[in-house]
Amino acid sequence: MRGEESWIDPIFGASLTQSFLQHWNFKLRGDVGGFGINSNVTWSVTAGFGYDFPLGKVNSSAFLGYRAIGTDYSSGGQSDRFTWDVIFHGPLIGLSFSF
């Protein structure tokens, strides 16, 4: 078993933000990569709702959503095989400030 593994993948993504009502918006972001160059595939998807509001003179935004991230990577031979085939997912909460 190897103690450390690293790799680099090309990744392409897109983002969509749709505003509705006065301060609300829906955000959808996703990316995909790998393409067998290093990993077989890597991807992520984020979706959720945002609320824009002023905090003094600072534009602020709160976000509540869900995110999933997956990677399928393997390397090595029969005796030193490394495999990383995982999907992480769960709720996401965020706060941002624009100066």
Side-chain angles (χ1 to χ4, degrees):
M1 180 172 103
R2 294 182 283 200
E4 186 177 314
E5 189 78 20
S6 63
W7 62 94
I8 297 173
D9 280 325
I11 298 174
F12 299 95
S15 177
L16 168 74
T17 300
Q18 179 64 51
S19 297
F20 62 96
L21 299 176
Q22 185 175 358
H23 298 279
W24 291 92
N25 57 64
F26 173 76
K27 296 181 183 188
L28 179 63
R29 297 177 183 166
D31 60 61
V32 64
F35 311 108
I37 293 171
N38 277 308
S39 69
N40 291 327
V41 66
T42 184
W43 59 269
S44 74
V45 176
T46 305
F49 293 95
Y51 182 78
D52 300 326
F53 59 95
L55 190 59
K57 294 183 179 183
V58 177
N59 293 327
S60 305
S61 184
F63 181 80
L64 182 63
Y66 199 83
R67 185 168 190 190
I69 304 169
T71 301
D72 180 6
Y73 171 82
S74 58
S75 69
Q78 191 75 6
S79 63
D80 65 344
R81 186 88 174 147
F82 175 84
T83 299
W84 183 261
D85 188 5
V86 297
I87 297 175
F88 299 106
H89 60 92
L92 179 66
I93 186 168
L95 187 60
S96 66
F97 307 98
S98 300
F99 299 95

